[in-house]
Amino acid sequence: MSEKFEVKLIGIENVEQMTNVHLSAFSNNLLSQLGFNVVKRYYEWQFTDIDKYNKKIYALGVFELENMVAFSVFGMARNAKIGFLKKNWSFLMMMVIIKFYKIKFNHIIEVVKNFKYFVVKVLVSSNDKVLRIDNNEDNIYGILVTACKQEYEGRGFGSILMRRAEKVARENKAVGIKLSVRETNEHAWKIYEALGYIKVVDDLGNWVGNSMIKKL
Amino acid sequence: MKTIILNVINEIKVNKGLETFSEAMISNDSDLRNDLGLDSLDLAVFTVKIEEETGVDVFETGIVTKFGEVLVKLENS
């Protein structure tokens, strides 16, 4: 067996390494544009606030010796970014103002286009709704994020982490596992399809909310 | 077992319109990614197909990167 890479359970003590992986994997996303401390706070929040709802969050990392090269966070909560936005609204607004020069035009367009969605989700809904705690959804797990450092892409670490997540979900009697992926990220959603995930579609066959689900 | 692994790899290659491998072209040291050209999507398909064929998740107890390591996992399961 290859001893170079190892999969381990990770926790809040690994947040700085997770942040570095996130910044490498998603260098262009809005959270990354806001900087290391914002991304770090996002993952700290995942390990702390979501746990307050007694919904266990799991995280697994792929390590090359002590260096984390990929990770996945999953569990009984979904829509983590909206929950994070709601709980950290003022901090994020301050960071947006400070880092405004770094925010790309396409991110501004995206926020404007989704303004109604943000208002409803962030300002109006309760925390429970924001976090989509799935008491009524027959124990469906969600994959909050799977990230891999750019220089380690193409080695199948994402698939390995996803399958481990599915195993944990099955052990916890979950009947399904869900994720969301950008439609433009064709490489990612094709991998998810290969792993058995199917797109959630409406009656007209339109892809709903960029969601994919796998029956366990 | 060697034939099963090779067949799965070749099925992936055929689906992509690429040339297949013969047994003689593969050794236990062949790296799935660098020597056999499996990318992340191929590796996802590979894992699922191997499990379908053998019932074994080769990545369940560790990360394997070489043909021979997959073989050992299957033979020891």
Side-chain angles (χ1 to χ4, degrees):
Chain A
M1 196 184 84
S2 176
E3 291 175 359
K4 198 176 174 192
F5 297 103
E6 188 185 5
V7 182
K8 289 192 279 197
L9 267 174
I10 55 175
I12 197 162
E13 67 279 8
N14 300 102
V15 157
E16 290 205 357
Q17 289 206 69
M18 292 168 76
T19 303
N20 285 325
V21 175
H22 178 109
L23 291 171
S24 169
F26 311 120
S27 56
N28 284 324
N29 84 359
L30 182 54
L31 210 58
S32 298
Q33 302 296 314
L34 295 177
F36 183 92
N37 286 333
V38 176
V39 178
K40 183 173 170 234
R41 187 160 170 151
Y42 173 57
Y43 288 108
E44 281 171 346
W45 172 82
Q46 289 197 351
F47 284 117
T48 52
D49 263 27
I50 293 180
D51 255 7
K52 284 182 193 163
Y53 295 88
N54 296 319
K55 297 295 174 188
K56 182 72 182 163
I57 287 296
Y58 300 88
L60 290 166
V62 176
F63 288 82
E64 183 180 36
L65 300 175
E66 294 302 311
N67 178 33
M68 188 192 293
V69 300
F71 71 88
S72 185
V73 184
F74 54 97
M76 274 291 285
R78 299 203 301 272
N79 260 9
K81 278 188 183 151
I82 298 296
F84 176 66
L85 269 172
K86 186 173 169 67
K87 294 288 273 187
N88 296 275
W89 187 247
S90 52
F91 167 74
L92 287 169
M93 281 300 101
M94 189 179 74
M95 293 309 290
V96 165
I97 292 163
I98 293 170
K99 302 258 181 173
F100 190 75
Y101 66 98
K102 280 197 166 185
I103 297 173
K104 294 185 176 172
F105 185 67
N106 63 321
H107 290 134
I108 297 168
I109 296 292
E110 196 178 330
V111 170
V112 170
K113 272 166 72 181
N114 292 298
F115 186 71
K116 189 177 162 191
Y117 173 78
F118 278 113
V119 168
V120 172
K121 288 277 185 180
V122 180
L123 300 178
V124 180
S125 57
S126 71
N127 284 337
D128 276 3
K129 280 180 185 167
V130 165
L131 279 172
R132 296 262 295 277
I133 306 297
D134 297 321
N135 292 327
N136 304 320
E137 282 200 18
D138 292 321
N139 201 2
I140 294 175
Y141 265 51
I143 292 180
L144 299 179
V145 61
T146 301
C148 181
K149 275 189 178 173
Q150 276 183 11
E151 60 268 37
Y152 290 87
E153 281 176 359
R155 297 166 194 252
F157 292 156
S159 300
I160 292 165
L161 289 167
M162 304 270 292
R163 285 166 64 84
R164 292 282 180 99
E166 290 164 20
K167 190 166 177 264
V168 173
R170 273 193 206 95
E171 286 167 359
N172 286 286
K173 314 281 183 219
V175 296
I177 190 158
K178 227 173 171 181
L179 56 84
S180 76
V181 57
R182 282 175 191 273
E183 195 169 1
T184 49
N185 193 354
E186 187 176 349
H187 185 71
W189 61 254
K190 281 196 166 170
I191 290 174
Y192 302 147
E193 280 187 335
L195 293 173
Y197 289 78
I198 54 168
K199 290 176 181 174
V200 177
V201 293
D202 63 19
D203 292 343
L204 299 170
N206 300 312
W207 193 0
V208 181
N210 292 347
S211 291
M212 298 184 83
I213 190 163
K214 179 175 180 176
K215 196 178 167 190
L216 296 175
Chain B
M1 282 298 176
K2 198 171 179 178
T3 313
I4 291 174
I5 304 169
L6 187 59
N7 286 344
V8 170
I9 291 170
N10 281 337
E11 195 184 325
I12 292 166
K13 294 288 171 187
V14 167
N15 287 338
K16 292 175 89 173
L18 299 173
E19 287 193 22
T20 56
F21 295 100
S22 66
E23 270 200 54
M25 295 162 78
I26 290 180
S27 76
N28 283 347
D29 278 337
S30 298
D31 188 283
L32 298 173
R33 178 169 170 261
N34 298 324
D35 300 322
L36 305 179
L38 300 185
D39 64 17
S40 50
L41 176 57
D42 299 333
L43 286 166
V45 175
F46 177 77
T47 323
V48 171
K49 293 268 181 194
I50 289 287
E51 190 171 20
E52 276 172 13
E53 296 281 337
T54 65
V56 178
D57 176 359
V58 290
F59 291 104
E60 189 175 351
T61 53
I63 292 175
V64 291
T65 57
K66 294 184 186 301
F67 188 93
E69 293 169 351
V70 179
L71 194 59
V72 169
K73 288 261 180 177
L74 296 183
E75 285 174 347
N76 290 343
S77 62

